[in-house]
Amino acid sequence: MSSLSSSVFLRLRTVATVAVVCATALTITHIVRADAPKTAAEYAANPAEMLEAYRHVEAASVSDAIEQSLHIKSYMSHRMQAIFPTKFAGPALTVKLVKQENKDPDALSGMLKAIDSGGQGSVYVMKVEDGADIAGMGGLMGTAMFSRGFAGAVVDGGVRDVPQLKKLGFPVYALGPVPSTSVGHYRFGGANIPLEVDGVKVNPNDIIVADQDGVVVVPREHAAEVLVLAQKLDNSEHAMYPYIEKFHSIVEAVKQFGRI
């Protein structure tokens, strides 16, 4: 190889080495930043970041974290079912419907105004009084929520127009599909008020976490501390899966990680 060729080769090899080192450094830096745990104080100071983190933690871990730290039941029952497999989290916008026969065309106007007041990422939480067989929402309301960027809806009552909701991909938890209507049978009872939804207290702006395991309500004033504990529980459980697969023993895994 000529001296000129050797010189060019060495320069090219040097450039390639530097590029690899730089790329590796950038990758390592990114990983360190991504994996750095946040404190409850940091999450409390940045609500948007806290909500985003809740979208990546499992509802079961959130439920366990609430039980361990607050000693309360904050999950809804098996009756609350998703119309399709889903996962979402966001602040609650609460609405109540009161059972009352009427011919008032404006009886439900407050419910519609509440939807139009909701912002990006909100979760519509509705209590339909004695409404297991009454559709608290359907395709029109779901389309409005979807267009406004709602994260999802939780209805302590029925739901209808399921094909439209599935077409939109708008996630809804409800007691089940029913073809009925609330029009003429119910009256708007208030928005952004405390509710009891499937036996669980829900205040406006509480954080709703839902996935295929069900729905959990996180009291807003404790949201940051609950999130940090839920993340720890998540990380512990996810680390146990490969351990169990490798050693074929859940007993040893529980001894090692202290989680079940």
Side-chain angles (χ1 to χ4, degrees):
M1 182 182 293
S2 68
S3 59
L4 179 60
S5 298
S6 297
S7 176
V8 171
F9 174 76
L10 287 172
R11 283 201 298 272
L12 290 172
R13 187 171 66 179
T14 301
V15 170
T17 302
V18 170
V20 170
V21 170
C22 289
T24 303
L26 287 171
T27 302
I28 292 173
T29 300
H30 176 72
I31 291 173
V32 169
R33 286 176 181 171
D35 290 346
K38 295 283 191 299
T39 66
E42 288 173 324
Y43 279 128
N46 192 334
E49 186 175 31
M50 180 173 67
L51 283 171
E52 180 59 28
Y54 263 112
R55 296 183 182 107
H56 298 280
V57 71
E58 294 182 12
S61 293
V62 175
S63 177
D64 287 356
I66 292 173
E67 185 173 340
Q68 291 178 22
S69 61
L70 304 180
H71 311 293
I72 62 173
K73 171 188 174 293
S74 198
Y75 60 88
M76 296 184 191
S77 77
H78 66 279
R79 300 192 313 147
M80 196 63 70
Q81 294 289 318
I83 62 172
F84 56 79
T86 187
K87 181 172 179 58
F88 61 82
L93 188 164
T94 63
V95 172
K96 182 178 182 179
L97 294 189
V98 179
K99 192 172 186 179
Q100 183 186 100
E101 296 295 319
N102 67 85
K103 295 183 179 180
D104 181 0
D106 294 321
L108 297 174
S109 61
M111 173 185 72
L112 306 182
K113 290 176 181 177
I115 294 172
D116 281 359
S117 73
Q120 184 77 26
S122 297
V123 176
Y124 184 82
V125 181
M126 169 180 271
K127 171 69 176 181
V128 183
E129 190 176 78
D130 190 23
D133 292 322
I134 296 293
M137 68 168 287
L140 296 178
M141 292 168 62
T143 301
M145 294 177 205
F146 178 79
S147 70
R148 294 190 64 82
F150 279 59
V154 177
V155 181
D156 191 352
V159 62
R160 70 180 193 177
D161 304 327
V162 172
Q164 169 67 5
L165 296 171
K166 287 184 176 181
K167 178 183 176 182
L168 290 173
F170 185 70
V172 178
Y173 274 81
L175 300 183
V178 288
S180 60
T181 179
S182 59
V183 176
H185 307 293
Y186 281 80
R187 184 176 294 278
F188 173 68
N192 285 317
I193 58 175
L195 298 177
E196 185 173 292
V197 180
D198 193 36
V200 179
K201 292 181 180 178
V202 183
N203 289 307
N205 215 36
D206 280 351
I207 296 176
I208 309 299
V209 180
D211 62 20
Q212 292 186 62
D213 286 334
V215 181
V216 183
V217 181
V218 184
R220 188 68 187 221
E221 63 271 23
H222 299 289
E225 63 190 82
V226 167
L227 173 60
V228 170
L229 179 53
Q231 289 175 325
K232 290 178 180 178
L233 294 174
D234 249 11
N235 292 338
S236 176
E237 181 161 320
H238 294 167
M240 290 175 71
Y241 294 141
Y243 187 96
I244 293 170
E245 290 172 354
K246 180 177 181 180
F247 296 104
H248 313 294
S249 173
I250 189 171
V251 172
E252 292 303 317
V254 171
K255 286 180 183 178
Q256 179 74 20
F257 293 92
R259 167 92 166 122
I260 190 169

